[in-house]
C-alpha cells in the first residue's frame, strides 16, 4: 500500500477511536439544526428559518467553531509524537517526511470533511424538505465546501505550529493565539482602522486586507449573495466590493496549500 494512504488510514482510524469524528459531527449537527429551526425565534415565530438567515447564522457560528476544532484536532500531530518517541520510529520505516505529512493531512482532513458534510448536511436536509431542493442544495453545497476548506486551512496551520515547537503545551498555547487572532483580533483591528483613521479605507482596500484572513474569506464567499441586512461589521462594508466567488475560492484554497508547503519545508529541515 502507498505509504501516504497507509498513514491517512491510520489517522482516520485514530480519529474514530478517539471519538473525534463522532463528536465533531454531533456538534455540527446539533448546532446547525438548532439554528435552522429556532433561527426565526427572534422575529417572534417558531419554525424553520429562511435559507438566507440560516446561512448567515451558520457562517457566523462556523467561523468560530471550525478553526478551533481543526487546531485542537491537529496541533499535536507532530510534537506529540516527537515527545512520545513514535515520530522517530515512524521515520525508520520506508516513508519520507513529505509522505508522512500528507498522509496525516489526508487522514485528519477526511475527518473534518466527513463531519462537516454529515453535520451541516443535516440542516440542509431539514430546509430542503421544508421548502425546495432547488434553492437549498446550491447554497449549502457552497457553504459545506468552504467550511471544509476552512477546516483544512487550519489543519495545515496547526502542522506548522506542531513542527515549529518542541513541547505540546507550547503548541496548544500558540494554536489558541492563532485562533483568537484570526476569528476576533483581525476583524476588530480592521474595524478600528475604519472608525479611527481619518481617511479610513476604501472598500477595495478593505477587501484586499481581508484576503489575509481565511476566516473572512469564508464569510465573504457565503454572505456575498445574501441581503446585507443579515450582515454587520466590516463584512457589510466589504461585501459590495467582494470579488467573484471563483476568485475567492481560489484564494481560500491557497490558504490550504501555502501553510502545508511551509509545514513540509519546516519538516524537511527539522532535526529529530
Amino acid at each position: 500500500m502507498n505509504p501516504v494512504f497507509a498513514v491517512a488510514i491510520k489517522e482516520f482510524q485514530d480519529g474514530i477511536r478517539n471519538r473525534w469524528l463522532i463528536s465533531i459531527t454531533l456538534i455540527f449537527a446539533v448546532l446547525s439544526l438548532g439554528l435552522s429551526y429556532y433561527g426565526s425565534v427572534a422575529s417572534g415565530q417558531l419554525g424553520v428559518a429562511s435559507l438566507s438567515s440560516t446561512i448567515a447564522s451558520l457562517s457566523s457560528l462556523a467561523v468560530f467553531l471550525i478553526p478551533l476544532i481543526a487546531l485542537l484536532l491537529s496541533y499535536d500531530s507532530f510534537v506529540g509524537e516527537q515527545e512520545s518517541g513514535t515520530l522517530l520510529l515512524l521515520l525508520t520505516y520506508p516513508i519520507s517526511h513529505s509522505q508522512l505529512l500528507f498522509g496525516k493531512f489526508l487522514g485528519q482532513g477526511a475527518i473534518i470533511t466527513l463531519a462537516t458534510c454529515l453535520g451541516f448536511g443535516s440542516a440542509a436536509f431539514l430546509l430542503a424538505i421544508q421548502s425546495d431542493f432547488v434553492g437549498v442544495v446550491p447554497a449549502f453545497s457552497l457553504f459545506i465546501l468552504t467550511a471544509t476548506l476552512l477546516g483544512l486551512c487550519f489543519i495545515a496551520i496547526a502542522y506548522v505550529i506542531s513542527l515549529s515547537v518542541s513541547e505540546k503545551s507550547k503548541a496548544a498555547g500558540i494554536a489558541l493565539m492563532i485562533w483568537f487572532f484570526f476569528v476576533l483580533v483581525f476583524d476588530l483591528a480592521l474595524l478600528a482602522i475604519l472608525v479611527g483613521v481619518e481617511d479610513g479605507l476604501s472598500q477595495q482596500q478593505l477587501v484586499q486586507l481581508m484576503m489575509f484572513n481565511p476566516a473572512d474569506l469564508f464569510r465573504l464567499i457565503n454572505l456575498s449573495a445574501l441581503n446585507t441586512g443579515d450582515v454587520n461589521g466590516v463584512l457589510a462594508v466589504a461585501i459590495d466590493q467582494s470579488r467573484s466567488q471563483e476568485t475567492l475560492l481560489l484564494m481560500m484554497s491557497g490558504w490550504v496549500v501555502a501553510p502545508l508547503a511551509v509545514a513540509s519545508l519546516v519538516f524537511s529541515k527539522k532535526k529529530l
Side-chain angles (χ1 to χ4, degrees), residues 193-246:
I193 293 173
L194 283 173
V195 175
V197 178
E198 183 176 351
D199 294 330
L201 293 172
S202 66
Q203 288 180 316
Q204 185 176 4
Q205 289 172 327
L206 180 62
V207 172
Q208 288 173 346
L209 286 176
M210 294 176 77
M211 299 300 104
F212 292 97
N213 186 350
D216 281 341
L217 279 171
F218 167 77
R219 287 186 289 188
L220 272 176
I221 294 170
N222 286 286
L223 301 181
S224 58
L226 303 181
N227 188 318
T228 53
D230 294 319
V231 187
N232 52 38
V234 294
L235 282 171
V237 180
I239 278 178
D240 291 336
Q241 290 295 320
S242 63
R243 305 179 186 184
S244 67
Q245 286 185 343
E246 292 77 12

Side-chain angles (χ1 to χ4, degrees), residues 34-82:
L35 283 175
S36 299
Y37 191 76
Y38 294 104
S40 59
V41 170
S43 61
Q45 299 177 343
L46 182 62
V48 178
S50 67
L51 177 62
S52 176
S53 298
T54 300
I55 293 294
S57 299
L58 286 178
S59 297
S60 298
L61 169 71
V63 82
F64 284 92
L65 196 58
I66 292 176
L68 181 60
I69 289 176
L71 289 168
L72 291 176
L73 174 66
S74 308
Y75 81 92
D76 64 342
S77 295
F78 295 94
V79 68
E81 292 201 1
Q82 184 178 357

